[in-house]
Amino acid sequence: MSNLLDLAPVVPVVVLDDAESAVPLARALVNGGLPVIEVTLRTPAALDAIRRIAAEVPEAVVGAGTVRSPEDVEAATEAGARFLVSPGTTPGLLAAMLAAGVPFLPGVATATEAMTLAERGVRELKFFPAEPAGGVTYLKALSGPLPDVRFCPTGGITPSNAPAYLALPNVGCVGGSWLTPRSLVTAGDFARIEKLASEAAALRP
């Protein structure tokens, strides 16, 4: 797989209450130009959703988000997750993700956390929660002292502020939940989701 941060400008952050929606949702996102899909482990349906997307939408690069423990790592990879995303990083979780054999974006919110991971050879990180943690201004400030670290900011990202993040040299992509609101997923309005994905795919400056 190519570098995870370079596959698409926006990674949809998906919360699914019903695994039946997973395949049509993934197809809508892929058709809209966003092949990288993060299914968060926040609902009982998440692992089944990952399993279905991995089996039925091979052109999608499906991963697991809200990975918080070694057990989450094992369950997600067994379900077919091709990458992992965590909100923060503990020593035990980092060890499990390093051993998993798939790309991962460990969560950080400070320079110290980013430096600690860089010491372990991990230089592609999730910056979370992006807007509350300092947003574009903070990431711009980090690019000087940490030029070899790249981020996927997530948390408070919208279509209006995403281009400012994507214009930063140390940002490869952004994560956003605006592409798959529960209202559209529940209504089965996958045509609208495909349109939102198409608009997001064109956001990179």
Side-chain angles (χ1 to χ4, degrees):
M1 182 168 63
S2 300
N3 188 293
L4 186 62
L5 294 186
D6 297 324
L7 292 177
V10 180
V11 176
V13 178
V14 179
V15 179
L16 283 172
D17 298 305
D18 182 0
E20 293 292 332
S21 301
V23 168
L25 175 67
R27 287 180 177 147
L29 292 169
V30 169
N31 290 342
L34 299 180
V36 183
I37 304 168
E38 175 189 335
V39 177
T40 66
L41 302 183
R42 299 181 191 176
T43 68
L47 290 172
D48 192 24
I50 291 170
R51 195 173 293 111
R52 293 187 187 203
I53 294 170
E56 299 183 45
V57 193
E59 60 271 35
V61 179
V62 64
T66 321
V67 173
R68 300 186 303 165
S69 67
E71 291 76 20
D72 285 345
V73 171
E74 181 178 6
T77 52
E78 285 182 354
R82 294 173 61 185
F83 65 93
L84 306 168
V85 184
S86 67
T89 311
T90 65
L93 178 58
L94 177 61
M97 290 194 293
L98 283 168
V102 298
F104 61 94
L105 296 174
V108 302
T110 69
T112 297
E113 291 170 341
M115 291 169 63
T116 300
L117 286 164
E119 279 187 354
R120 298 292 305 274
V122 182
R123 293 182 173 84
E124 295 188 345
L125 313 173
K126 171 180 177 174
F127 180 58
F128 176 83
E131 282 291 286
V136 170
T137 304
Y138 191 87
L139 283 176
K140 187 175 182 179
L142 288 183
S143 65
L146 303 176
D148 59 339
V149 178
R150 299 173 74 213
F151 298 92
C152 174
T154 304
I157 309 298
T158 67
S160 60
N161 64 21
Y165 281 98
L166 292 168
L168 296 174
N170 58 345
V171 169
C173 61
V174 299
S177 58
W178 81 86
L179 298 148
T180 57
R182 268 194 169 98
S183 58
L184 293 183
V185 177
T186 302
D189 193 349
F190 300 112
R192 175 60 181 158
I193 289 172
E194 181 176 337
K195 185 174 187 299
L196 290 173
S198 179
E199 293 168 353
L203 281 176
R204 192 185 297 278

